[in-house]
Each structure stands twice: as structure tokens, then as C-alpha cells.
Amino acid sequence: MSKSLLSLSFLFLGSLLFGQSTICGKKNRIHSQLKSNSLSIVQIAQTERYDVHFYHLDLNMTNMSTALSGTVRMDASANESLDSALYELFSGYTITEIRVNGNAVDYSRNNSAIKVPVNALQNEIFSIETDYSGTPPTAATNPLGGAGMSQDDSPTWGNEVVWSLSEPFSAYEWFPCKQSLTDKADSSFFFITVPSNLKAGSNGLLEQVVDLGNGFSRYEWKHRHPIDYYLISVSVSSYVEYNVYANPAGAPNPILIQNYIYDNPQTLINFQDDIDETVDFMELFYDLFGPYPFEDEKYGHCMAPFSGGMEHQTMTTQGFFTKGLTTHELGHQWWGDNVTCASWCDIWINEGFASYSEYLMLENLYPNESAGHMQDVHDNVMNQNGGSVWVLDSLNENRIFSGRLTYDKGAAIVHTMRYMVNDDALFFEILRDFQVAFKDSTANGIDFKEALENATGIDFNPVFEEWYFGEGYPTYSLLWQQNGEDVLVEINHTCSKPSVTATFTNDLDIRFIRPGIGDTIVRFNVTYNSQTFTISNIGSIASSILIDPENWIINQVGTIVESDELSLIEAEDNTMNLSIYPNPSRGTFQIHGLAEKAELTIYDLKGKERKKASISPNQIIDIKNLGEGSYVIEIKINNNKKRFKIITI
């Protein structure tokens, strides 16, 4: 979904490092979160007893009213022996009949929850057909706040439109369904009967339009890919069809981009050039993310009068066409549609990567605009001190779709992770492999962390604890001193939300201006709030020093001061090839790469010395008495020292 939509107050509803164990705990916690704002935990558990395979929506609609009627069939299989199955439909509808395997059955109804007898053995397939009619709720008529179906006229073009928008919990407001992110239907058919002067857009391929001979026509769309409940859509209006084709390198066939544009001569004239750019965007993302997931069907747009877009699978609903909005929704076809967040806690999988798609489009096609765009993203994130990308309250729609956190901070940390990988070819290979590994399925943030680690060998635990689960951002300050041909650099950072995230662990670029030689960028591995490094043989530098000059990290810049207070003995030798393991530690660790005796000092995060000892190569160091938490390990050999952060669990 587009961030720009959120400016309307969302139309559809008016630390310390904790270590691997905490991350695993959060991963497990995700799956205990409520998935619906309309069912109880007990009712949700009942829906998990079966697996949806197929939806067939056969509905009668118009563009002047959200009222609808028809039949929806759901095919499913029992995950265990079932006497009954529970699904959802808004309580305001009149149900004429429900059939299970073709036979009319009695049913119970508790608000939106409908329970029907199925008497199915484990793995047995059963079919539920629901005949119903009525008017979907509005935000005013639904106590839970929905608006899964809307009707309005375009203020600019005057066209009357009815369109659906089900994210995150509103699919049940217009068709009977199971609202579970982790249970995608394997395929779906959408038959929409409308007055013959109208068109109905939906997911998949339009296989035929049947003239019923009574002033009505039936649009028969068939989608043969897995799809999540909230990505099923329909839009009805007086449209004209405008089609273009993309030809990405490696695609077996041209990709249809099918557009339903308001039937107004000026509408297409106004937007045609913008729509045509979708071809370039499709070809770019095909290269960066891998093959378009639905290339055997289509991509397209249906216009509707709202301020943004919604990434309905294979046919986005959009109010207008700008390159940022169009690329965001197209990016969703990979990030959100093919691979969908496993819970609303991890909406980052959808919106963070779709938002980063906007930057990638600018970087590749409009490079003069990319730097300003990322700066705007960072500035918005830093408008407030705190806030996590990971969503704790998965029923709070305003929080799920926070423009500052979910969209902008989500995109910014994808950018940071790309920087940490430090190899664009590898990074985009990781993205493509992730699309393959989780194709037609769901994933969470930890799944992506593990993909990064498996491909790079880098420990991303600190990065995720601080940037994904944590809150805030760092402010970097720098002291430096010329020492012959060497330069001493002290990097300090404070955190905007230190009660939650006290330290940010990431690489950091610093650009040094060297008169007569040219500037150079040095990358530092920041693991502590204050670190001193020596840079050997850099030559004389000017007073012009830039922190994070290419804007890879969300950060503020504090003071940059030349100081004569630094000394070589304080410097951390950035060339010392040492590491600690295991980290996190369960009470002991070793220094890998240590070839001689060294001095060990352990500090807590307030700088208090907690342990000091002389150590030898291969020595096992006992820290059980320190307790759980995060500590700084300082290794000193002669006049050189190196610091590490260690986590005890």
C-alpha cells in the first residue's frame, strides 16, 4: 500500500542488545499475535484447522452502490478430522443458503463468525458455498471500523467507482473468507456481473466477457497463483482499456500491463506517459528482484478515487500515476504479494522493501533524484526520537501503516543492510534468492536476517536488534588528530532513544579531504559508543571531514573537531585481526586470532570496569559472574587495542 494514502488518516479506519535468544523469542511471539480484529483467539484457532485451496467469487455489482449479491465458494482441506469449519462474513449480510459439498446445511452465526458442519477426515477436501446479499459496512456502520468496499466519484474526472480494499482485516466485509496471512488460496476465480456499459477489473487473466443479453455482462477473471485474502480485489467503473507490454531481459514472453482508465478522453491523455513508464519499472525490477512472479498472467492498474494505491495482486488499484507511487505498488508484486509478511508485526517485508523500490527506481533511472529522496526519508524518520520498524501491536492499523516507521525507516534499513553486505551483486542475489525461497508463501524479518547471514557470513543479530526491533537513531561526533602520516580518529555516538537502544552497531563511512591528493573514504566498524582508531599512511588531511557522506545510515551529525588530546596509545588498531566466539556467550568465550599474551579489560555499557586480566592464546575466559547483558571487551597488545561487544545469555 502506498504511503501517500496515509495522509488521509488511513481512509479505511478513519536497547540494549538482547542476543539470538531474544530474537528467536520475538520470532516465536509473532505467531501468537491476533490475526483478526473481528474474531476471538478461540475462533482464530478454529480457522487454523483447515487449509484454503480455492475461492470462486460470483458477484453482482454496479458502480453506483457498494450493494452486492451472489455466491462465494471456498474449497479447503482439513488439517485434522473436522466436525465443523468456521469462516467470516460481515454480520450485516443476508444469507440465503449455505451448502457444504453441494448440500444445504444448517449453520450458526455469531457476529461475523459462521460455523458450518463439514464432517471431514484429515486431508479430506470439502467445499462451502455461501449465497448472500446486502451492503458492505462503512467506517460509520461497522463498530470495528472497516470499509472493505467503497463507492465514490473522482473529484477530477467525475467517474463513479466501486472498489475493494481489504488490507489488513476487511476482506470479510465483502466476501466470505478465512483471514489468515499464512494460508494463501492456491488459485481463485472472480466472476463479476455488471451493467454492460461498465467494466470490472480483478486479479489474474480476463478469460472472457460474457454478454448475458439483458443489459449485463459477466467479467470472468481467473488467477492461477497463490494469493492472500487481502490481495483479492474488484473495481467497477466506466473504464477504457489501455495496454502496453514490457520485455525484460530473460522473460520468456512479453508481459502484459493492462490498465483500466476512467472513460474520460482527458484521463488517458493526462496519464499515458506516466503509465508507459511502468514498462521501464517492470524491466528494472525483473533484473533486480528476479522474474515477475505472475508473468504468465499480467500486471495492471484499475483507477479509483483515493489518494494512493493498493497492491492488489496482478492489478493494483491507484488513484493517479506518479513514478514513486507506481514503482512502490509494482515493487509490492514481489514484496508483499509473492512473498507476504507472515504477520502484521512484520509488515516490513511488504512495505519496507516496496518503499525501497522507489529509491532503486530513482538510483537506476533518475540518479540525480536519489540522494535527495533518501535524505527526505531519513529526515522524516528523525522527526521523532523513537519507534520500531517491528510492530508490537498488530491490531493497530495506524501503527501497522506508519509512514515514518513502516515505510521510511523500513526502506532506510534495507539501504543500510545493503551497505553492510558491501557487495551489490551479492545483495541483489540475496533478494532474488529470497523471492525463490519464499515464493507463494510468507516470511518475517528474521527469515530475511538469516538469508543475509547465510549468504554473507556476517552476524546481523546486532543490526536487527538495534535497527529493526530497536528504536531511534545515532548522532555521530568525531575527534581527529594528525600524527605524521597517520591520523587518529575518535568516533562517538549517542542514541536518540537510549533507554531502548543504547548502542548502534554498524559500519560507518567517513570521508577525509586530502590536499593535493584527493578525498578518500574509510569504512569503520562501529561496535561501541566511543572508539578510537588509527589510520596509517593516509597523509595530510584538511579540516573537511564528512560522516556518512553517501547517506547509508539514518543519523544526525554532531561535532567534528580537530583535537590534540588523542594519543596513539588510545587508538584502536583497526588492522588487528581478532574476533570473539561464541557471541552471544553462555558464560565463557575465547579470542580467535590471538597469537601472544594480551591484556583483557571488560566494561559494562556505562563504562565501569568489571574485569581485568592477562590472557594467553586459546585461553577460555570465564564471565559467568557478570550476569546477562551486553559488555565491551577490550584487548590490548603493546600499544594497540581493539574493542568488541559481547552479549551474555
Side-chain angles (χ1 to χ4, degrees), residues 391-438:
V391 179
L392 177 61
D393 183 0
S394 64
L395 292 182
N396 184 339
E397 296 192 29
N398 288 328
R399 175 59 192 87
I400 294 172
F401 300 106
S402 166
R404 184 176 74 89
L405 298 174
T406 298
Y407 291 74
D408 282 349
K409 189 175 182 182
I413 67 170
V414 177
H415 195 52
T416 299
M417 291 170 190
R418 174 184 172 186
Y419 167 69
M420 294 287 291
V421 172
N422 198 25
D423 182 335
D424 269 1
L426 177 58
F427 179 77
F428 288 106
E429 182 181 344
I430 294 169
L431 299 191
R432 291 189 291 272
D433 288 347
F434 195 79
Q435 287 291 315
V436 173
F438 293 91

Short mmCIF file of all heavy atoms in Angstrom, two decimals, residues 391-438:
data_model
loop_
_atom_site.label_atom_id
_atom_site.label_comp_id
_atom_site.label_asym_id
_atom_site.label_seq_id
_atom_site.Cartn_x
_atom_site.Cartn_y
_atom_site.Cartn_z
N VAL A 391 6.43 -4.18 14.45
CA VAL A 391 5.17 -3.69 15.01
C VAL A 391 4.77 -4.56 16.19
O VAL A 391 4.47 -5.75 16.03
CB VAL A 391 4.06 -3.68 13.95
CG1 VAL A 391 2.75 -3.20 14.55
CG2 VAL A 391 4.46 -2.81 12.76
N LEU A 392 4.74 -3.97 17.38
CA LEU A 392 4.35 -4.72 18.56
C LEU A 392 2.85 -4.97 18.59
O LEU A 392 2.40 -6.08 18.85
CB LEU A 392 4.78 -3.97 19.82
CG LEU A 392 4.37 -4.59 21.16
CD1 LEU A 392 4.99 -5.98 21.31
CD2 LEU A 392 4.78 -3.68 22.31
N ASP A 393 2.06 -3.93 18.31
CA ASP A 393 0.60 -4.04 18.35
C ASP A 393 0.08 -4.32 16.95
O ASP A 393 -0.14 -3.40 16.17
CB ASP A 393 0.00 -2.75 18.91
CG ASP A 393 -1.53 -2.82 19.06
OD1 ASP A 393 -2.11 -3.87 18.71
OD2 ASP A 393 -2.12 -1.82 19.51
N SER A 394 -0.14 -5.59 16.65
CA SER A 394 -0.50 -5.97 15.28
C SER A 394 -1.97 -5.74 14.96
O SER A 394 -2.43 -6.11 13.88
CB SER A 394 -0.13 -7.43 15.03
OG SER A 394 -0.90 -8.29 15.87
N LEU A 395 -2.72 -5.16 15.87
CA LEU A 395 -4.11 -4.80 15.58
C LEU A 395 -4.29 -3.29 15.43
O LEU A 395 -5.39 -2.83 15.14
CB LEU A 395 -5.04 -5.32 16.68
CG LEU A 395 -5.18 -6.84 16.78
CD1 LEU A 395 -6.16 -7.21 17.87
CD2 LEU A 395 -5.63 -7.43 15.45
N ASN A 396 -3.23 -2.53 15.62
CA ASN A 396 -3.28 -1.09 15.50
C ASN A 396 -2.95 -0.70 14.06
O ASN A 396 -1.78 -0.66 13.66
CB ASN A 396 -2.29 -0.45 16.48
CG ASN A 396 -2.33 1.06 16.49
OD1 ASN A 396 -2.78 1.70 15.53
ND2 ASN A 396 -1.85 1.65 17.58
N GLU A 397 -3.98 -0.39 13.27
CA GLU A 397 -3.76 -0.14 11.85
C GLU A 397 -2.92 1.12 11.61
O GLU A 397 -2.10 1.15 10.68
CB GLU A 397 -5.10 -0.03 11.12
CG GLU A 397 -5.89 -1.34 11.15
CD GLU A 397 -7.07 -1.34 10.21
OE1 GLU A 397 -7.01 -0.64 9.19
OE2 GLU A 397 -8.05 -2.04 10.49
N ASN A 398 -3.10 2.14 12.43
CA ASN A 398 -2.29 3.34 12.26
C ASN A 398 -0.82 3.04 12.49
O ASN A 398 0.06 3.60 11.83
CB ASN A 398 -2.77 4.44 13.20
CG ASN A 398 -4.09 5.04 12.77
OD1 ASN A 398 -4.39 5.12 11.58
ND2 ASN A 398 -4.91 5.44 13.73
N ARG A 399 -0.53 2.14 13.44
CA ARG A 399 0.85 1.76 13.69
C ARG A 399 1.37 0.83 12.59
O ARG A 399 2.51 0.96 12.16
CB ARG A 399 0.98 1.08 15.06
CG ARG A 399 2.38 0.54 15.34
CD ARG A 399 3.44 1.63 15.29
NE ARG A 399 4.78 1.06 15.30
CZ ARG A 399 5.45 0.68 14.20
NH1 ARG A 399 4.89 0.83 12.99
NH2 ARG A 399 6.65 0.16 14.31
N ILE A 400 0.57 -0.12 12.16
CA ILE A 400 1.00 -1.02 11.08
C ILE A 400 1.45 -0.21 9.88
O ILE A 400 2.50 -0.47 9.29
CB ILE A 400 -0.14 -1.98 10.68
CG1 ILE A 400 -0.45 -2.95 11.83
CG2 ILE A 400 0.24 -2.77 9.43
CD1 ILE A 400 -1.68 -3.81 11.58
N PHE A 401 0.68 0.80 9.51
CA PHE A 401 0.94 1.57 8.31
C PHE A 401 1.53 2.95 8.61
O PHE A 401 1.24 3.92 7.92
CB PHE A 401 -0.33 1.68 7.47
CG PHE A 401 -0.87 0.34 7.04
CD1 PHE A 401 -1.99 -0.19 7.63
CD2 PHE A 401 -0.22 -0.40 6.08
CE1 PHE A 401 -2.47 -1.44 7.26
CE2 PHE A 401 -0.68 -1.64 5.70
CZ PHE A 401 -1.82 -2.17 6.30
N SER A 402 2.37 3.01 9.63
CA SER A 402 3.06 4.25 9.95
C SER A 402 3.98 4.67 8.80
O SER A 402 4.91 3.94 8.44
CB SER A 402 3.87 4.08 11.24
OG SER A 402 4.79 5.15 11.40
N GLY A 403 3.74 5.84 8.23
CA GLY A 403 4.60 6.31 7.15
C GLY A 403 6.03 6.51 7.60
O GLY A 403 6.98 6.23 6.87
N ARG A 404 6.23 6.98 8.83
CA ARG A 404 7.57 7.25 9.34
C ARG A 404 8.34 5.97 9.63
O ARG A 404 9.54 5.87 9.30
CB ARG A 404 7.48 8.10 10.62
CG ARG A 404 8.84 8.51 11.18
CD ARG A 404 8.67 9.42 12.39
NE ARG A 404 8.21 8.71 13.56
CZ ARG A 404 9.03 8.12 14.46
NH1 ARG A 404 10.34 8.16 14.29
NH2 ARG A 404 8.52 7.50 15.50
N LEU A 405 7.69 4.97 10.25
CA LEU A 405 8.39 3.79 10.71
C LEU A 405 8.33 2.63 9.71
O LEU A 405 9.36 2.09 9.30
CB LEU A 405 7.82 3.34 12.06
CG LEU A 405 7.97 4.36 13.19
CD1 LEU A 405 7.24 3.88 14.44
CD2 LEU A 405 9.44 4.62 13.50
N THR A 406 7.12 2.24 9.32
CA THR A 406 6.98 1.07 8.45
C THR A 406 7.52 1.34 7.06
O THR A 406 8.21 0.50 6.47
CB THR A 406 5.50 0.66 8.38
OG1 THR A 406 5.05 0.29 9.69
CG2 THR A 406 5.30 -0.51 7.43
N TYR A 407 7.23 2.53 6.53
CA TYR A 407 7.61 2.85 5.16
C TYR A 407 9.04 3.43 5.09
O TYR A 407 9.93 2.85 4.47
CB TYR A 407 6.61 3.82 4.55
CG TYR A 407 5.25 3.23 4.30
CD1 TYR A 407 4.37 2.98 5.34
CD2 TYR A 407 4.82 2.92 3.01
CE1 TYR A 407 3.11 2.45 5.11
CE2 TYR A 407 3.57 2.39 2.77
CZ TYR A 407 2.72 2.15 3.83
OH TYR A 407 1.46 1.61 3.61
N ASP A 408 9.24 4.58 5.75
CA ASP A 408 10.52 5.27 5.58
C ASP A 408 11.66 4.60 6.36
O ASP A 408 12.72 4.35 5.80
CB ASP A 408 10.37 6.73 5.99
CG ASP A 408 9.69 7.56 4.90
OD1 ASP A 408 9.53 7.04 3.78
OD2 ASP A 408 9.30 8.71 5.16
N LYS A 409 11.47 4.34 7.64
CA LYS A 409 12.53 3.65 8.37
C LYS A 409 12.73 2.24 7.81
O LYS A 409 13.86 1.76 7.73
CB LYS A 409 12.23 3.59 9.87
CG LYS A 409 13.42 3.09 10.68
CD LYS A 409 13.16 3.13 12.18
CE LYS A 409 14.38 2.66 12.95
NZ LYS A 409 14.15 2.65 14.43
N GLY A 410 11.62 1.61 7.41
CA GLY A 410 11.73 0.28 6.79
C GLY A 410 12.59 0.30 5.55
O GLY A 410 13.45 -0.56 5.35
N ALA A 411 12.40 1.30 4.67
CA ALA A 411 13.21 1.42 3.46
C ALA A 411 14.65 1.76 3.82
O ALA A 411 15.60 1.23 3.22
CB ALA A 411 12.63 2.49 2.55
N ALA A 412 14.83 2.65 4.80
CA ALA A 412 16.17 3.10 5.15
C ALA A 412 17.03 1.97 5.69
O ALA A 412 18.24 1.91 5.41
CB ALA A 412 16.08 4.23 6.18
N ILE A 413 16.45 1.05 6.47
CA ILE A 413 17.29 -0.02 6.99
C ILE A 413 17.57 -1.09 5.95
O ILE A 413 18.58 -1.79 6.04
CB ILE A 413 16.70 -0.64 8.29
CG1 ILE A 413 15.40 -1.39 8.03
CG2 ILE A 413 16.53 0.42 9.36
CD1 ILE A 413 14.96 -2.19 9.26
N VAL A 414 16.71 -1.24 4.93
CA VAL A 414 17.09 -2.09 3.79
C VAL A 414 18.34 -1.50 3.14
O VAL A 414 19.28 -2.21 2.79
CB VAL A 414 15.95 -2.20 2.77
CG1 VAL A 414 16.40 -3.02 1.56
CG2 VAL A 414 14.72 -2.86 3.38
N HIS A 415 18.35 -0.18 2.99
CA HIS A 415 19.51 0.52 2.43
C HIS A 415 20.75 0.27 3.28
O HIS A 415 21.84 -0.01 2.74
CB HIS A 415 19.19 2.01 2.36
CG HIS A 415 20.10 2.83 1.51
ND1 HIS A 415 20.41 2.52 0.20
CD2 HIS A 415 20.81 3.97 1.79
CE1 HIS A 415 21.22 3.42 -0.30
NE2 HIS A 415 21.50 4.30 0.65
N THR A 416 20.61 0.33 4.59
CA THR A 416 21.73 0.08 5.50
C THR A 416 22.24 -1.35 5.38
O THR A 416 23.44 -1.60 5.39
CB THR A 416 21.32 0.39 6.95
OG1 THR A 416 20.96 1.77 7.06
CG2 THR A 416 22.45 0.08 7.92
N MET A 417 21.32 -2.30 5.28
CA MET A 417 21.73 -3.70 5.15
C MET A 417 22.47 -3.93 3.83
O MET A 417 23.42 -4.71 3.77
CB MET A 417 20.52 -4.62 5.29
CG MET A 417 19.95 -4.62 6.70
SD MET A 417 18.37 -5.47 6.81
CE MET A 417 17.89 -5.02 8.49
N ARG A 418 22.04 -3.27 2.79
CA ARG A 418 22.77 -3.33 1.52
C ARG A 418 24.20 -2.83 1.72
O ARG A 418 25.17 -3.43 1.22
CB ARG A 418 22.04 -2.49 0.48
CG ARG A 418 22.75 -2.35 -0.86
CD ARG A 418 21.96 -1.43 -1.77
NE ARG A 418 22.66 -1.10 -3.00
CZ ARG A 418 22.21 -0.21 -3.90
NH1 ARG A 418 21.04 0.41 -3.70
NH2 ARG A 418 22.91 0.04 -5.00
N TYR A 419 24.35 -1.74 2.44
CA TYR A 419 25.66 -1.17 2.76
C TYR A 419 26.50 -2.15 3.58
O TYR A 419 27.70 -2.31 3.33
CB TYR A 419 25.45 0.14 3.50
CG TYR A 419 26.65 0.74 4.17
CD1 TYR A 419 27.70 1.27 3.44
CD2 TYR A 419 26.70 0.83 5.57
CE1 TYR A 419 28.79 1.85 4.07
CE2 TYR A 419 27.78 1.40 6.21
CZ TYR A 419 28.82 1.91 5.46
OH TYR A 419 29.89 2.48 6.09
N MET A 420 25.89 -2.80 4.56
CA MET A 420 26.62 -3.74 5.40
C MET A 420 27.11 -4.95 4.61
O MET A 420 28.20 -5.46 4.85
CB MET A 420 25.73 -4.19 6.56
CG MET A 420 25.37 -3.09 7.55
SD MET A 420 26.73 -2.59 8.60
CE MET A 420 26.95 -4.03 9.63
N VAL A 421 26.31 -5.41 3.65
CA VAL A 421 26.75 -6.51 2.79
C VAL A 421 27.96 -6.08 1.97
O VAL A 421 28.88 -6.87 1.72
CB VAL A 421 25.59 -6.97 1.88
CG1 VAL A 421 26.08 -7.97 0.84
CG2 VAL A 421 24.46 -7.59 2.71
N ASN A 422 27.94 -4.81 1.53
CA ASN A 422 29.11 -4.21 0.85
C ASN A 422 29.46 -4.92 -0.45
O ASN A 422 30.61 -5.01 -0.85
CB ASN A 422 30.32 -4.20 1.78
CG ASN A 422 31.40 -3.23 1.32
OD1 ASN A 422 31.12 -2.26 0.61
ND2 ASN A 422 32.64 -3.50 1.70
N ASP A 423 28.45 -5.41 -1.12
CA ASP A 423 28.65 -6.09 -2.40
C ASP A 423 27.29 -6.11 -3.08
O ASP A 423 26.45 -6.95 -2.78
CB ASP A 423 29.19 -7.51 -2.18
CG ASP A 423 29.47 -8.26 -3.47
OD1 ASP A 423 28.85 -7.94 -4.51
OD2 ASP A 423 30.29 -9.21 -3.44
N ASP A 424 27.07 -5.16 -4.01
CA ASP A 424 25.75 -5.05 -4.62
C ASP A 424 25.34 -6.31 -5.38
O ASP A 424 24.18 -6.71 -5.34
CB ASP A 424 25.70 -3.85 -5.56
CG ASP A 424 25.23 -2.59 -4.86
OD1 ASP A 424 24.96 -2.64 -3.63
OD2 ASP A 424 25.14 -1.53 -5.53
N ALA A 425 26.28 -6.92 -6.09
CA ALA A 425 25.95 -8.14 -6.81
C ALA A 425 25.43 -9.20 -5.85
O ALA A 425 24.43 -9.88 -6.13
CB ALA A 425 27.16 -8.65 -7.59
N LEU A 426 26.09 -9.34 -4.70
CA LEU A 426 25.66 -10.32 -3.71
C LEU A 426 24.35 -9.91 -3.08
O LEU A 426 23.46 -10.75 -2.86
CB LEU A 426 26.74 -10.49 -2.64
CG LEU A 426 26.41 -11.44 -1.49
CD1 LEU A 426 26.09 -12.84 -2.00
CD2 LEU A 426 27.56 -11.47 -0.48
N PHE A 427 24.18 -8.63 -2.75
CA PHE A 427 22.96 -8.19 -2.10
C PHE A 427 21.73 -8.49 -2.96
O PHE A 427 20.74 -9.02 -2.47
CB PHE A 427 23.03 -6.69 -1.80
CG PHE A 427 21.79 -6.15 -1.15
CD1 PHE A 427 21.53 -6.37 0.19
CD2 PHE A 427 20.87 -5.42 -1.90
CE1 PHE A 427 20.37 -5.89 0.78
CE2 PHE A 427 19.72 -4.92 -1.31
CZ PHE A 427 19.48 -5.14 0.04
N PHE A 428 21.79 -8.14 -4.24
CA PHE A 428 20.63 -8.38 -5.09
C PHE A 428 20.45 -9.87 -5.40
O PHE A 428 19.33 -10.32 -5.63
CB PHE A 428 20.71 -7.53 -6.35
CG PHE A 428 20.45 -6.07 -6.07
CD1 PHE A 428 21.50 -5.16 -6.07
CD2 PHE A 428 19.19 -5.62 -5.76
CE1 PHE A 428 21.28 -3.82 -5.78
CE2 PHE A 428 18.96 -4.28 -5.47
CZ PHE A 428 20.00 -3.38 -5.48
N GLU A 429 21.53 -10.62 -5.36
CA GLU A 429 21.40 -12.07 -5.45
C GLU A 429 20.63 -12.61 -4.24
O GLU A 429 19.80 -13.50 -4.37
CB GLU A 429 22.77 -12.72 -5.53
CG GLU A 429 22.74 -14.25 -5.67
CD GLU A 429 24.11 -14.88 -5.73
OE1 GLU A 429 25.10 -14.14 -5.97
OE2 GLU A 429 24.22 -16.10 -5.50
N ILE A 430 20.90 -12.04 -3.05
CA ILE A 430 20.17 -12.42 -1.85
C ILE A 430 18.68 -12.12 -2.01
O ILE A 430 17.83 -12.93 -1.66
CB ILE A 430 20.75 -11.69 -0.61
CG1 ILE A 430 22.16 -12.17 -0.32
CG2 ILE A 430 19.86 -11.91 0.62
CD1 ILE A 430 22.90 -11.33 0.70
N LEU A 431 18.35 -10.93 -2.55
CA LEU A 431 16.95 -10.59 -2.77
C LEU A 431 16.29 -11.59 -3.72
O LEU A 431 15.17 -12.04 -3.48
CB LEU A 431 16.83 -9.18 -3.33
CG LEU A 431 17.35 -8.02 -2.47
CD1 LEU A 431 16.90 -6.68 -3.07
CD2 LEU A 431 16.89 -8.13 -1.04
N ARG A 432 16.96 -11.91 -4.81
CA ARG A 432 16.38 -12.84 -5.79
C ARG A 432 16.22 -14.23 -5.18
O ARG A 432 15.20 -14.89 -5.39
CB ARG A 432 17.25 -12.88 -7.05
CG ARG A 432 17.21 -11.58 -7.85
CD ARG A 432 17.91 -11.73 -9.20
NE ARG A 432 19.35 -11.89 -9.06
CZ ARG A 432 20.21 -10.87 -9.02
NH1 ARG A 432 19.79 -9.62 -9.10
NH2 ARG A 432 21.52 -11.10 -8.94
N ASP A 433 17.22 -14.68 -4.43
CA ASP A 433 17.13 -16.00 -3.80
C ASP A 433 16.01 -16.03 -2.76
O ASP A 433 15.34 -17.05 -2.60
CB ASP A 433 18.47 -16.36 -3.14
CG ASP A 433 19.55 -16.69 -4.15
OD1 ASP A 433 19.23 -16.88 -5.34
OD2 ASP A 433 20.74 -16.74 -3.75
N PHE A 434 15.82 -14.92 -2.05
CA PHE A 434 14.74 -14.84 -1.07
C PHE A 434 13.39 -14.97 -1.74
O PHE A 434 12.48 -15.63 -1.22
CB PHE A 434 14.84 -13.52 -0.31
CG PHE A 434 14.03 -13.46 0.95
CD1 PHE A 434 14.48 -14.06 2.11
CD2 PHE A 434 12.82 -12.77 0.98
CE1 PHE A 434 13.73 -13.99 3.29
CE2 PHE A 434 12.07 -12.70 2.14
CZ PHE A 434 12.53 -13.31 3.30
N GLN A 435 13.23 -14.34 -2.90
CA GLN A 435 11.99 -14.46 -3.65
C GLN A 435 11.72 -15.91 -4.06
O GLN A 435 10.58 -16.36 -4.06
CB GLN A 435 12.03 -13.57 -4.89
CG GLN A 435 11.90 -12.08 -4.59
CD GLN A 435 10.52 -11.71 -4.11
OE1 GLN A 435 9.51 -12.15 -4.68
NE2 GLN A 435 10.45 -10.93 -3.05
N VAL A 436 12.76 -16.63 -4.40
CA VAL A 436 12.60 -18.03 -4.78
C VAL A 436 12.29 -18.89 -3.55
O VAL A 436 11.38 -19.72 -3.56
CB VAL A 436 13.87 -18.55 -5.48
CG1 VAL A 436 13.78 -20.06 -5.72
CG2 VAL A 436 14.08 -17.82 -6.80
N ALA A 437 13.02 -18.66 -2.46
CA ALA A 437 12.87 -19.49 -1.26
C ALA A 437 11.48 -19.35 -0.65
O ALA A 437 10.93 -20.31 -0.11
CB ALA A 437 13.94 -19.13 -0.24
N PHE A 438 10.90 -18.14 -0.71
CA PHE A 438 9.60 -17.90 -0.09
C PHE A 438 8.52 -17.61 -1.11
O PHE A 438 7.49 -17.00 -0.78
CB PHE A 438 9.72 -16.76 0.92
CG PHE A 438 10.57 -17.10 2.12
CD1 PHE A 438 11.93 -16.84 2.12
CD2 PHE A 438 10.02 -17.72 3.23
CE1 PHE A 438 12.72 -17.18 3.21
CE2 PHE A 438 10.79 -18.06 4.33
CZ PHE A 438 12.15 -17.78 4.31
#
